[in-house]
Amino acid sequence: MTIVRRRDETLLFYNAIPLPEETLRAVRALGSPARLVVPNQFHALDAAAFTLKLNVTPYAPQVAVTALEKRFGFSCRPIDELAQDGALLRFCVEGFRTKECVLLVDGTLLVADLLTNAPHGSGLTGLLMRLVGFTGPTPKLPKPVRKRVEVDTEAVRALLNTLAAQPGLTRIIPSHGEVIEVDAPTVLRQVAQTL
């Protein structure tokens, strides 16, 4: 989960996770919880409880809005209703059947499944993640993710290059793996070249 403190001191959450009460107190001290972006239906496990607990307005891509309402009875607003401004831009991964929403906020790109940056781990779990292709020495769009959600490789490649060209892009925060703080545009172009 990523927490964004907006200029009006409201908080926007990207990809909700459960938080203990002590952490929630610290979060509330940062600002007023206001919005939750559910990037896609596969990142919605904790969204309903999080929304109720923090009394935030949830937003999701239309395909996720429909799926979450049908499966869980959980209502979200369409992501198109989340206002953009000079500090927040939203992009839809049209090449994914999930239409994942990624956000660019003050030079930081927030992504869910568009790319991962998880190094190889140890033990049986680390070996399994390595074998299925989720981990690696460099950021990537893992093949299992592509098989599950990708419908248009060229559209995904084009979006990665569009994101790389955004003025002021300095950092990428993936939902899976480590933050990328060095040459973020080049990382996106390199991932695009692997598709």
Side-chain angles (χ1 to χ4, degrees), residues 3 13-14 23-24 35 40 42 74 82 106 120 124 143 164 171 174 177 182 188:
I3 304 170
F13 302 88
Y14 183 86
T23 304
L24 283 173
R35 294 166 196 82
N40 63 55
F42 300 121
F74 174 57
L82 179 65
D106 291 325
H120 294 310
L124 184 57
K143 286 181 183 175
R171 177 171 52 176
V182 177
L188 293 171

Side-chain angles (χ1 to χ4, degrees), residues 23-185:
T23 304
L24 283 173
R25 282 192 294 277
V27 166
R28 287 185 178 108
L30 295 173
S32 176
R35 294 166 196 82
L36 165 65
V37 173
V38 180
N40 63 55
Q41 61 266 37
F42 300 121
H43 281 253
L45 183 63
D46 300 304
F50 190 91
T51 297
L52 289 173
K53 192 164 211 170
L54 288 175
N55 193 30
V56 295
T57 303
Y59 297 85
Q62 185 60 54
V63 66
V65 169
T66 304
L68 295 173
E69 179 68 38
K70 183 176 179 180
R71 187 167 179 202
F72 301 113
F74 174 57
S75 296
C76 291
R77 295 176 118 175
I79 195 66
D80 293 346
E81 293 181 13
L82 179 65
Q84 299 185 95
D85 57 37
L88 184 145
L89 298 173
R90 53 183 161 67
F91 299 85
C92 179
V93 185
E94 292 294 339
F96 281 5
R97 77 185 75 229
T98 60
K99 307 296 184 199
E100 176 176 317
C101 175
V102 300
L103 298 179
L104 181 61
V105 184
D106 291 325
T108 297
L109 182 65
L110 311 178
V111 300
D113 295 329
L114 184 59
L115 71 82
T116 65
N117 188 32
H120 294 310
S122 60
L124 184 57
T125 302
L127 176 63
L128 178 63
M129 296 303 269
R130 181 180 196 153
L131 291 174
V132 298
F134 278 110
T135 61
T138 59
K140 63 171 143 180
L141 174 49
K143 286 181 183 175
V145 172
R146 292 181 66 193
K147 286 181 181 178
R148 185 175 191 186
V149 301
E150 188 177 74
V151 292
D152 186 340
T153 300
E154 288 306 315
V156 175
R157 183 179 294 121
L159 177 63
L160 287 165
N161 286 317
T162 296
L163 293 170
Q166 294 302 305
L169 175 64
T170 58
R171 177 171 52 176
I172 304 167
I173 302 179
S175 293
H176 306 286
E178 299 173 0
V179 174
I180 299 164
E181 297 191 88
V182 177
D183 209 1

Side-chain angles (χ1 to χ4, degrees), residues 180-195:
I180 299 164
E181 297 191 88
V182 177
D183 209 1
T186 299
V187 168
L188 293 171
R189 288 186 192 101
Q190 289 171 341
V191 171
Q193 289 173 0
T194 67
L195 303 182

